[in-house]
Amino acid sequence: MKKNSHEILLGFDFGMKRIGVAVGQTVTRTARPLGVIPAKAGEPQWEPLDKMIKTWQPDALIVGIPLNMDGTEQALTVAAKKFADLLKKRFELPIYGIDERLTTKDAREQLFTKGGYKALQNTQIDSVARN
């Protein structure tokens, strides 16, 4: 039986030291955090990422593209686009870039509402931001 197009998606909240990962699906339009992959200068540790791809077998990947509030690019924008290109070459899956302005702010608000200041740990913020 063939899967519907873009049924399972993995989303990435790119960072130079950490990359948050979430899994979502299009039927219920929901997502949940999977965790954070360590990165060095924007280059992810590929082994845990390879395992996530193998486990979830996504139909497409989504990469958050950081932009300035006025829509212009910033230094991190170029690095996130490079990461998206690396994903495309490595996994040969469709890649979609998504404007991620305000996603980290929203993630912080969600975590604070659920658990106060104690919940505002960077690894949690990174994994919730793409949710």
Side-chain angles (χ1 to χ4, degrees):
M1 184 166 105
K2 187 177 179 188
K3 288 168 82 173
N4 291 332
S5 179
H6 306 301
E7 188 172 291
I8 296 175
L9 309 167
L10 285 185
F12 299 93
D13 184 19
F14 177 79
M16 297 301 284
K17 295 180 182 177
R18 294 180 304 274
I19 300 170
V21 185
V23 63
Q25 52 89 18
T26 58
V27 174
T28 62
R29 300 180 77 143
T30 59
R32 67 179 177 89
L34 289 179
V36 176
I37 295 174
K40 187 173 185 178
E43 179 84 16
Q45 289 184 1
W46 288 106
E47 187 177 330
L49 187 49
D50 291 340
K51 287 180 182 178
M52 286 180 178
I53 296 290
K54 185 176 180 181
T55 298
W56 291 98
Q57 298 181 8
D59 298 294
L61 306 176
I62 299 170
V63 176
I65 305 297
L67 298 168
N68 292 315
M69 289 307 293
D70 65 0
T72 59
E73 292 190 355
Q74 55 179 286
L76 199 55
T77 306
V78 175
K81 287 180 177 181
K82 180 181 175 186
F83 172 67
D85 288 341
L86 290 172
L87 289 174
K88 185 173 183 73
K89 289 175 187 169
R90 187 175 186 101
F91 300 113
E92 299 180 348
L93 289 167
I95 307 288
Y96 299 99
I98 187 166
D99 180 351
E100 70 168 18
R101 286 178 280 184
L102 301 179
T103 57
T104 299
K105 179 182 178 291
D106 183 52
R108 284 180 187 275
E109 289 173 2
Q110 288 179 40
L111 286 169
F112 182 79
T113 299
K114 290 178 183 176
Y117 287 107
K118 201 174 193 180
L120 294 178
Q121 298 174 15
N122 283 337
T123 55
Q124 291 179 343
I125 293 166
D126 291 338
S127 63
V128 171
R130 288 287 11 119
N131 214 350

